[in-house]
Amino acid sequence: MRQLTFASLQVINLEASKDFYTNKLGFEIENAKPQAYVFKYNKGEASFAIRTPLEPIEGKELGIGVAIWFAVDENVDELKEKFVANGVTTIGPIIETPFGRAFHVKDLDGYKLTFLETK
């Protein structure tokens, strides 16, 4: 394998999650279906979807153990401040990684999203 081409996250409340990703994090909707939204970020360089469940998820913690990383062109200090002003819960401080500076947020279903300012 040489590349992950797409990811899809199952969510409990599709409309609430759509609002979180568009209004709080700034992702753009590329495609909408009754059971899913496909997002693009940075002119389509990052593409993923949220969707209604493919299997029963009642009573399950969806995001446990899942981390998705997005490389960004923005300064992570400024991006984190923007997210906090939008009411997004961040997890911990900005950290130094082998790949660059990063910070984490959790979405409504507990998925950990990492925003990385690459070196």
Side-chain angles (χ1 to χ4, degrees):
M1 287 183 259
R2 65 175 182 86
Q3 180 181 18
L4 173 65
T5 58
F6 194 72
S8 176
L9 304 176
Q10 296 181 69
V11 298
I12 294 170
N13 183 323
L14 186 62
E15 292 304 314
S17 290
K18 177 193 74 123
D19 180 67
F20 176 82
Y21 280 94
T22 56
N23 294 326
K24 298 197 181 278
L25 297 182
F27 284 89
E28 296 175 47
I29 295 174
E30 183 174 30
N31 193 340
K33 306 245 186 248
Q35 74 281 6
Y37 290 100
V38 178
F39 297 105
K40 63 181 179 177
Y41 189 81
N42 196 20
K43 301 176 187 152
E45 291 181 12
S47 183
F48 74 101
I50 56 171
R51 63 159 297 117
T52 55
L54 295 168
E55 57 192 61
I57 59 173
E58 292 81 26
K60 295 183 180 175
E61 295 182 74
L62 299 179
I64 299 299
V66 176
I68 299 175
W69 289 56
F70 296 97
V72 297
D73 293 329
E74 296 129 294
N75 173 283
V76 290
D77 296 286
E78 294 170 4
L79 186 60
K80 183 177 180 181
E81 286 177 23
K82 181 172 105 177
F83 286 173
V84 169
N86 286 344
V88 175
T89 301
T90 61
I91 307 165
I94 292 173
I95 58 171
E96 293 291 333
T97 76
F99 315 107
R101 299 176 69 235
F103 69 96
H104 311 288
V105 305
K106 274 196 178 179
D107 82 352
L108 302 178
D109 293 290
Y111 293 106
K112 186 176 177 182
L113 310 173
T114 302
F115 294 89
L116 171 72
E117 181 181 353
T118 57
K119 291 183 178 182

